[in-house]
Amino acid sequence: DNNTFDSTQVVDNQFSFKGTLEHPKKFDLYIQNSKNHTTIWLEEGEIDFKAEDGKFKDAQITGSNAQLDSERLWTPIRKYRKKRDSLNTIIDDKATSDSLKKIAKQELKKIWSSHLSIEKAFIKSNPNSYVSASTLNFYTTSIEKETVEDYFDNFSSDIQNSSYGKSIQRYLELQNNLK
């Protein structure tokens, strides 16, 4: 799915896509040769996308339950991203002393840990969410295999049988075959 591309034309500040999806899926939406881009969850039904030119990241997206789940996950993470970006600026600044860079790197590790904790808590408390499955699929190689198995086992059968669930299952099978 990561290699799927489609296009449409914007006419009078409106665009539309029509098609079918087996389940809610995450897509990247962008306008070519611009800074307009964001992630959007598409699923069956009508989904409204409202954004100002150049501000797709602040879009108002309605009509998608998965999009609501994604917002519940990402709202607390955004504050960590701002801190991360500030620390990276300090680390990348050639004028910053080595001792300050060391402190910034330690803080960056704490932020990463907090970020990951938020995502793990979301997955654990939302086993019927495609957002949980997508997030776990992203982290399969970054977190303990046992944790991946526990989260996967708690997913509903619909989630386990989704493209995200099947990818997680393939990872677990490969890991079990390594023994």
Side-chain angles (χ1 to χ4, degrees):
D1 291 4
N2 291 337
N3 296 327
T4 302
F5 291 92
D6 202 344
S7 62
T8 188
Q9 291 189 339
V10 177
V11 178
D12 294 328
N13 289 323
Q14 294 188 0
F15 67 90
S16 68
F17 283 102
K18 292 185 189 226
T20 56
L21 295 169
E22 62 189 82
H23 60 75
K25 289 188 179 180
K26 180 172 68 168
F27 291 89
D28 293 312
L29 177 66
Y30 69 97
I31 294 183
Q32 192 172 7
N33 302 320
S34 80
K35 294 188 184 254
N36 285 322
H37 58 89
T38 194
T39 298
I40 185 170
W41 280 86
L42 299 179
E43 59 188 279
E44 188 176 313
E46 185 172 313
I47 297 170
D48 290 323
F49 177 88
K50 294 180 182 169
E52 292 180 36
D53 187 26
K55 296 184 177 181
F56 272 31
K57 291 283 184 195
D58 301 322
Q60 298 285 321
I61 303 168
T62 57
S64 167
N65 289 326
Q67 187 72 38
L68 292 173
D69 282 352
S70 181
E71 283 302 312
R72 283 190 309 111
L73 170 61
W74 279 93
T75 297
I77 289 173
R78 283 189 187 100
K79 77 175 187 178
Y80 288 104
R81 283 195 150 183
K82 287 180 182 179
K83 290 179 185 178
R84 177 203 65 191
D85 293 346
S86 296
L87 289 168
N88 278 329
T89 300
I90 291 168
I91 292 166
D92 293 340
D93 186 348
K94 290 181 179 17
T96 303
S97 69
D98 288 343
S99 59
L100 186 55
K101 284 183 182 186
K102 183 177 179 181
I103 292 168
K105 286 178 183 178
Q106 290 169 343
E107 288 300 310
L108 203 54
K109 285 182 185 177
K110 290 179 192 173
I111 286 171
W112 169 247
S113 179
S114 297
H115 177 148
L116 187 57
S117 294
I118 290 169
E119 291 183 299
K120 286 169 126 182
F122 182 89
I123 295 167
K124 186 174 184 175
S125 24
N126 295 278
N128 293 317
S129 170
Y130 289 94
V131 174
S132 292
S134 171
T135 304
L136 182 59
N137 187 43
F138 179 79
Y139 283 114
T140 52
T141 59
S142 302
I143 59 178
E144 306 79 24
K145 182 185 97 141
E146 294 76 19
T147 301
V148 174
E149 285 176 318
D150 289 344
Y151 292 157
F152 181 79
D153 289 344
N154 286 321
F155 285 162
S156 67
S157 61
D158 284 346
I159 301 295
Q160 287 182 351
N161 290 314
S162 71
S163 59
Y164 304 116
K166 289 176 182 175
S167 179
I168 297 164
Q169 191 170 32
R170 276 191 301 277
Y171 164 79
L172 291 171
E173 289 169 357
L174 286 171
Q175 291 304 303
N176 288 334
N177 288 336
L178 292 175
K179 291 182 179 179

